[in-house]
Amino acid sequence: MLVRDVAASAAEELGRDDLAAALRAGETEGEAAALVAAYNFVENELALDHFPLKAEETHTPIGGKILYTVFAHPPVRIFNVYGEDGKQAKYDMYPTCLVLKDFAGPARVEYAYAPARKSAGDKAECAAAVSERLLALGVAREFSLSRGKYEEANFWHGRFEEALRAAGSPRRGLRIRGRRWE
């Protein structure tokens, strides 16, 4: 799915068929650009909070360190580090690198990353559970917020949250149980 298709679907949800047609025709100025910016925000939110984009790479540590700059995508979370033998390696995360403890040889690193910024003609970069509709509802929410339509944004937020639950987001809202005094 292309970013322009998601943005056009969001425009249709908002009742803006003129804007949807402009996006499908290749328009990238004004409100069309605002919809693409909203798309980038929503895609980032979904990747960081709900459906992580995962990658796996093998790197050889230099001096026991693997710099984050050698990864294809900048890591935001490290899941596991394995040696050639398949054993899990011990590591510490620092702001610029991953430090492996008592480890030699290539390391296979499983990590999550944030999506790159997209333009209208780019392909969406999402987990398989993320549908065009889910993205479009989030884009409609962000677009409404950017235009100062807070009640409308609240409506789209509710629809977006319902779609997230339906998609099976692994992250659930935190709740504090009420206390009763008797």
Side-chain angles (χ1 to χ4, degrees):
M1 96 184 93
L2 295 177
V3 172
R4 96 172 83 246
D5 296 332
V6 173
S9 294
E12 288 169 350
E13 289 282 344
L14 291 164
R16 297 286 310 273
D17 293 333
D18 60 322
L19 188 52
L23 278 159
R24 288 200 171 98
E27 176 68 39
T28 58
E29 299 295 319
E31 289 185 314
L35 278 169
V36 172
Y39 169 85
N40 281 308
F41 189 84
V42 171
E43 184 183 53
N44 196 46
E45 175 186 351
L46 288 172
L48 295 179
D49 295 340
H50 304 285
F51 300 100
L53 296 173
K54 297 177 182 176
E56 185 177 304
E57 295 180 29
T58 302
H59 296 286
T60 303
I62 299 171
K65 298 178 182 178
I66 301 175
L67 297 176
Y68 295 139
T69 56
V70 300
F71 288 91
H73 310 281
V76 292
R77 193 163 99 211
I78 304 293
F79 295 118
N80 289 304
V81 178
Y82 297 100
E84 287 181 312
D85 57 359
K87 284 188 171 184
Q88 197 166 6
K90 293 181 181 180
Y91 62 91
D92 285 326
M93 290 180 63
Y94 290 94
T96 59
C97 65
L98 189 65
V99 177
L100 304 176
K101 299 177 180 179
D102 302 322
F103 186 85
R108 185 172 43 107
V109 182
E110 296 174 351
Y111 66 97
Y113 62 93
R117 197 156 183 78
K118 312 274 185 315
S119 62
D122 293 336
K123 285 187 80 172
E125 186 179 10
C126 305
V130 177
S131 67
E132 182 176 326
R133 180 178 177 275
L134 174 60
L135 283 165
L137 291 172
V139 171
R141 176 194 68 183
E142 291 303 319
F143 183 77
S144 297
L145 273 174
S146 72
R147 298 294 180 241
K149 298 178 180 180
Y150 301 116
E151 286 184 31
E152 191 174 321
N154 192 39
F155 169 77
W156 292 115
H157 178 71
R159 300 272 311 270
F160 178 70
E161 290 292 323
E162 288 173 15
L164 266 177
R165 279 191 293 279
S169 174
R171 181 177 176 190
R172 303 288 182 217
L174 300 176
R175 296 185 184 199
I176 299 174
R177 291 180 165 236
R179 297 181 184 214
R180 295 185 184 191
W181 296 93
E182 295 186 29

